[in-house]
Amino acid sequence: MSKQVTCNPLDIADVAKVPISSAEYNNIVDLQNEVLVMIASHESSSVVLSKLCNLAESFLPNSVASIMLLDKQSGLLSVLSAPSIPEVGHEALKNLKPGIGAGSCGNAVFHKEAQYVNDTLTDERWADLRKIVIDFNLLACWSMPIRNKNDEVIGTFALSSFEHRSPSLFHKKLLETASSIVSIVLQNRENENRLKLFSTSMQNATEGMIITDSQNKIIEVNKAFEDIYGYTENDVLGKNPKILSANKNTKEFYANMWKEIQENSKWSDEIINKRADGKEITQWLSISDILLDSELNTHNYLGIFTDLSELKSIQARLEETAFRDNLTHLGNKIRLDALLTSTNKYTLILLNINNFSYINTAYGFDVGDELLKKIAKILDSEFSATKVFRINSDEFGLLYDGNVDILLKVENIKHYFYTTGILLGYLRLNVSFTYGGTCESENLLRNASSALKVAKQSGKNNVSIFDLDATQVEDRKAFIEANNILYNALAEDKLVPYYQGIRDNFTKKIEKYEVLARIERNGEVISPYKFLEPARLSGLLPEITKIMIDKSFQEMASNTYTFSINITEDDLNREYLLEYLNEKSRTYAIDKNRVILEILEGVSSDSKSGNIEQLNALKKAGYALAIDDFGAEYSNFERVLDLEVDFLKIDAKYIKDINTNAKSYEVARAIAFFANNAKIPCIAEFVHNEEVQAVIDELDIGFSQGYHFSEPQRKPL
């Protein structure tokens, strides 16, 4: 404690307002895990406390950590652990009486709350300890009370600095965490002392005791036996101790017990018995073979035991603390590591919350904690994982038995969080993740982490899978790329409508447009052929349709063109179209008779899920209907007439080569003949040159759509 640092008091009032970063939060979690594992491994309390002090010091340069304990009898504080403070410092702080001038630790105990002193030379809380300040150059000291299980203050954990400074939110959290850990260590030390006392008591036969004769009949018990088992002496004398058995230990267990007694004259182990009321108790039983008369070969057996139920419960709680995240109550990284040592086959998906540090900064650490708890509950309940873990501050892990489809699971997660906001009081947040996963590999966690790193390097919302089969790499790579493009576009509002003109072959003018979905990214215009299939698998087609409706209505409000919008079976299954279209028509003052809804031929021919009823309702409301790609599937002409559709669009595969392919010509001619007789206007798709258009004119098809007349563009002409 004799380090010399120039005392430069700093104006750092704003330090306490700086949010805890993800890296700092991970440091606290790592410290907690490292120390709790030492506890669960039964490391001595002195070693554990020294390690805790050293770890805390590593997060505050030019500082020393100390733990002081309150003597119950005298009410005075003394140093329990401070590995970086010399012995002379321990002596200087010995028998410190808590009070208003007794430094940060004395005040923390006296006021029963944390004390943060950034200038010990002037602060009145150090009035009685100025000599220690000068002798050891302690210029700042922050102290946190340590409480026992009854919430009584029993000591302090402190960080003392050789320069003037105020604690940040991170350092306050560090002090709280260290104080909590010291409380656990002290409780564990108390339990260790009880265990030592139990060992001594066994040697002196002051614990529960039972003596049997050479026939293993009970001839003596002590008062502790009666208290533990609920039997009186008269209940058990003359009986075999097997009346105490809970039948939890095997025949092999008892055979090995007697074999060891015969060979070594003693035996000890943990055993499960039962009380007179049937309640099971866990005991540590030590049996000794006592040879009373060597000539007569007379044997008695002394059994000494103690009830371990409470100690086992405490041990279980300590192990639970070491292996469970204290915020979300999920298993932690240590627990996951322990599970992965088995030979079982697993699939592991890691999820890293996008922009979590910004959430902490914008809304505060408490909101961030609540969000983590909500996310933990959702991940634990919604996605059928075998186990869910919190790996670090903003990263979770989903573990599945065997080999599962990672992409499908990720799609389910993406869709859930894209369509479901998380409500925190009056605040609603939408969360997204970046993903990394692997199946049935060795080093499962390391490989999943490597995949997550690759995904992060590619940008937010991405997914990367470690070690795919070579035959799957290209297909999955393309799917993942398209999927990432789609989600990024939705998140960043990059999905936009393009407009392709539809020419009236009688007036020679373009007065209708089809609305086409496109993604604009980094100067590139991405066709729907790249993202519609991932959208369909993810259940996001209705989201795309809604965006197209909203943005096209807004654009078309400034003109009088008729325009068509593609709708899908997914849209009809959601049963939202009529209400949504009516709402947008009112918002943008769009006449409903300007809007044509294009549906695929298969949708119009299928009556499932009330599709036909919805289409009739849309038609009745004033919207026009067009059958898209007519002739591509199983044309149901009767259903077309029943729906009273307003337009038929002949499938492009029959138009693009209609001037050279006789089959295409005959199919298109038949559809045009039917449409003209039914007085349904026909639209030819994929009109790409004058020769094709000449045949369209010959067949008396009323409208043409294709690059020959209009390429898709951002705005209608």
Side-chain angles (χ1 to χ4, degrees):
M1 271 171 58
S2 59
K3 296 180 183 178
Q4 295 297 316
V5 178
T6 304
C7 301
N8 295 316
L10 302 174
D11 182 12
I12 50 176
D14 289 337
V15 168
K17 300 177 183 178
V18 177
I20 301 176
S21 68
S22 294
E24 290 172 333
Y25 195 85
N26 287 339
N27 287 337
I28 291 176
V29 172
D30 290 344
L31 174 146
Q32 185 182 47
N33 287 341
E34 185 170 349
V35 175
L36 291 177
V37 167
M38 292 177 68
I39 298 172
S41 302
H42 306 293
E43 194 72 69
S44 71
S45 59
S46 60
V47 172
V48 174
L49 294 178
S50 292
K51 182 65 174 180
L52 176 62
C53 289
N54 290 333
L55 289 172
E57 290 169 358
S58 69
F59 299 131
L60 186 67
N62 272 336
S63 71
V64 291
S66 61
I67 301 168
M68 299 190 74
L69 196 61
L70 193 66
D71 185 272
K72 292 182 180 179
Q73 305 300 323
S74 66
L76 303 178
L77 283 166
S78 293
V79 174
L80 174 64
S81 180
S84 299
I85 298 177
E87 193 60 36
V88 63
H90 290 217
E91 287 298 319
L93 294 170
K94 188 174 182 180
N95 294 328
L96 177 66
K97 183 177 181 180
I100 58 175
S104 300
C105 293
N107 274 275
V109 172
F110 185 78
H111 293 290
K112 300 181 180 180
E113 61 183 21
Q115 302 292 316
Y116 306 109
V117 177
N118 60 15
D119 187 351
T120 57
L121 293 170
T122 60
D123 198 300
E124 287 302 310
R125 286 171 287 184
W126 279 78
D128 300 338
L129 301 178
R130 295 281 190 241
K131 187 175 186 306
I132 292 178
V133 170
I134 296 170
D135 288 347
F136 297 99
N137 194 36
L138 295 179
L139 302 182
C141 183
W142 316 325
S143 181
M144 181 68 63
I146 299 169
R147 301 177 184 273
N148 62 16
K149 60 184 178 182
N150 299 320
D151 205 36
E152 299 166 337
V153 176
I154 58 172
T156 61
F157 182 91
L159 282 170
S160 301
S161 174
F162 304 112
E163 58 186 281
H164 299 293
R165 50 169 54 145
S166 294
S168 66
L169 288 176
F170 163 69
H171 293 116
K172 289 182 179 180
K173 189 69 175 178
L174 175 64
L175 289 167
E176 290 176 10
T177 302
S179 170
S180 175
I181 291 174
V182 173
S183 177
I184 292 173
V185 172
L186 294 178
Q187 183 180 353
N188 190 49
R189 187 178 71 169
E190 180 180 345
N191 297 333
E192 291 175 347
N193 291 337
R194 289 182 60 196
L195 206 54
K196 290 178 182 178
L197 178 61
F198 156 66
S199 177
T200 303
S201 299
M202 280 203 311
Q203 294 174 5
N204 294 282
T206 56
E207 288 281 32
M209 181 180 69
I210 182 172
I211 301 175
T212 65
D213 61 17
S214 57
Q215 303 302 312
N216 201 29
K217 299 290 183 65
I218 298 173
I219 60 175
E220 191 70 59
V221 295
N222 67 350
K223 182 66 168 59
F225 172 90
E226 295 178 337
D227 293 340
I228 292 171
Y229 279 101
Y231 288 111
T232 66
E233 184 179 69
N234 291 333
D235 291 331
V236 298
L237 291 181
K239 296 181 180 179
N240 192 296
K242 67 182 180 182
I243 64 170
L244 307 175
S245 174
N247 297 317
K248 295 292 184 180
N249 301 99
T250 64
K251 290 182 179 180
E252 183 181 9
F253 174 87
Y254 289 109
N256 291 334
M257 177 186 80
W258 283 111
K259 180 181 179 182
E260 187 167 339
I261 291 172
Q262 291 167 2
E263 292 178 353
N264 302 314
S265 298
K266 59 184 179 181
W267 171 90
S268 60
D269 204 344
E270 193 174 293
I271 193 170
I272 300 175
N273 281 335
K274 65 179 179 181
R275 293 169 38 87
D277 60 9
K279 182 180 179 181
E280 293 181 1
I281 54 175
T282 303
Q283 302 171 313
W284 184 266
L285 175 61
S286 178
I287 298 176
S288 299
D289 181 359
I290 304 171
L291 184 61
L292 295 180
D293 190 324
S294 58
E295 292 183 3
L296 296 176
N297 196 31
T298 302
H299 292 263
N300 285 84
Y301 300 98
L302 171 65
I304 305 173
F305 57 85
T306 191
D307 183 0
L308 294 179
S309 300
E310 183 180 355
L311 293 175
K312 294 290 286 185
S313 175
I314 292 171
Q315 182 182 10
R317 289 200 299 271
L318 288 170
E319 290 178 354
E320 181 78 358
T321 303
F323 292 113
R324 190 164 293 277
D325 176 58
N326 64 349
L327 177 66
T328 64
H329 304 298
L330 297 175
N332 59 17
K333 181 176 177 291
I334 299 167
R335 178 60 177 160
L336 175 58
D337 281 330
L339 277 177
L340 296 182
T341 58
S342 72
T343 57
N344 295 340
K345 299 295 185 181
Y346 294 109
T347 296
L348 178 63
I349 302 174
L350 298 182
L351 307 84
N352 186 264
I353 304 172
N354 294 327
N355 303 317
F356 183 69
S357 61
Y358 296 115
I359 294 173
N360 272 338
T361 301
Y363 302 109
F365 194 74
D366 290 341
V367 170
D369 281 354
E370 287 303 311
L371 178 62
L372 290 170
K373 289 191 283 187
K374 286 287 183 72
I375 291 173
K377 288 182 179 179
I378 293 170
L379 294 177
D380 197 33
S381 63
E382 295 294 332
F383 306 110
S384 306
T386 305
K387 295 282 185 182
V388 181
F389 303 88
R390 185 181 177 209
I391 307 302
N392 57 43
S393 66
D394 58 355
E395 186 176 311
F396 293 87
L398 301 183
L399 188 70
Y400 294 90
D401 290 328
N403 190 337
V404 303
D405 189 329
I406 294 175
L407 286 178
L408 181 60
K409 289 293 182 185
V410 168
E411 288 309 307
N412 291 338
I413 297 168
K414 282 187 173 183
H415 182 252
Y416 181 93
F417 283 98
Y418 183 81
T419 57
T420 306
I422 297 178
L423 194 61
L424 302 172
Y426 295 104
L427 181 65
R428 184 182 181 86
L429 296 175
N430 280 90
V431 174
S432 64
F433 303 90
T434 301
Y435 307 83
T438 186
C439 294
E440 295 192 359
S441 62
E442 295 181 4
N443 305 312
L444 200 71
L445 180 55
R446 185 179 69 187
N447 292 343
S449 297
S450 297
L452 178 60
K453 183 178 180 181
V454 171
K456 287 181 177 179
Q457 290 170 347
S458 301
K460 295 180 175 63
N461 303 315
N462 288 340
V463 56
S464 175
I465 302 175
F466 183 88
D467 197 23
L468 285 172
D469 293 339
T471 56
Q472 299 175 317
V473 170
E474 289 305 318
D475 288 344
R476 292 204 175 189
K477 182 179 178 182
F479 181 86
I480 291 169
E481 180 183 3
N483 190 68
N484 291 337
I485 289 171
L486 172 62
Y487 275 93
N488 288 333
L490 290 172
E492 299 169 9
D493 194 27
K494 299 296 185 183
L495 192 72
V496 296
Y498 269 54
Y499 302 87
Q500 185 174 33
I502 300 173
R503 178 184 186 256
D504 187 322
N505 290 328
F506 300 107
T507 66
K508 315 298 184 185
K509 295 180 180 179
I510 292 177
E511 295 178 343
K512 291 182 176 64
Y513 287 87
E514 180 179 358
V515 178
L516 303 169
R518 297 289 188 269
I519 290 174
E520 292 184 337
R521 186 188 68 165
N522 301 327
E524 178 187 8
V525 179
I526 300 173
S527 164
Y529 295 108
K530 282 194 173 182
F531 60 81
L532 283 185
E533 182 61 14
R536 185 185 67 80
L537 293 174
S538 304
L540 291 176
L541 285 176
E543 301 302 319
I544 294 175
T545 303
K546 287 180 180 180
I547 293 171
M548 290 300 100
I549 291 172
D550 182 72
K551 291 187 175 182
S552 65
F553 275 40
Q554 184 178 9
E555 175 67 37
M556 289 299 191
S558 62
N559 58 59
T560 59
Y561 293 129
T562 298
F563 59 102
S564 62
I565 296 173
N566 291 281
I567 61 174
T568 68
E569 187 172 7
D570 286 23
D571 295 310
L572 294 170
N573 289 340
R574 293 279 185 91
E575 299 185 357
Y576 74 90
L577 275 170
L578 182 59
E579 182 180 351
Y580 191 78
L581 284 164
N582 286 342
E583 176 192 340
K584 295 303 176 182
S585 295
R586 289 191 298 270
T587 300
Y588 297 110
I590 296 290
D591 289 337
K592 297 175 183 177
N593 58 16
R594 295 177 56 198
V595 181
I596 305 169
L597 303 177
E598 293 193 16
I599 56 176
L600 291 174
E601 177 187 359
V603 176
S604 68
S605 301
D606 192 349
S607 59
K608 75 174 184 177
S609 304
N611 288 352
I612 301 303
E613 288 80 359
Q614 286 187 73
L615 293 172
N616 283 328
L618 289 164
K619 176 82 174 162
K620 185 177 180 180
Y623 302 102
L625 295 181
I627 304 299
D628 195 12
D629 295 341
F630 192 76
E633 296 187 22
Y634 39 82
S635 302
N636 188 325
F637 292 92
E638 183 179 356
R639 182 58 54 77
V640 170
L641 294 174
D642 289 341
L643 281 173
E644 298 181 5
V645 298
D646 301 280
F647 297 92
L648 284 182
K649 299 187 75 172
I650 303 175
D651 188 80
K653 70 181 180 180
Y654 300 119
I655 300 299
K656 64 182 180 180
D657 60 353
I658 193 172
N659 59 317
T660 59
N661 187 317
K663 180 180 177 181
S664 295
Y665 177 84
E666 289 301 328
V667 172
R669 186 175 69 85
I671 294 172
F673 179 78
F674 163 75
N676 286 333
N677 285 340
K679 294 182 171 48
I680 302 173
C682 228
I683 302 172
E685 297 184 290
F686 210 96
V687 178
H688 57 98
N689 59 41
E690 187 60 40
E691 290 77 14
V692 170
Q693 179 59 31
V695 180
I696 300 302
D697 290 335
E698 175 192 330
L699 295 177
D700 211 20
I701 295 174
F703 297 91
S704 294
Q705 180 178 350
Y707 277 42
H708 183 55
F709 297 109
S710 172
E711 294 187 12
Q713 52 201 355
R714 274 299 260 122
K715 292 182 178 292
L717 292 177

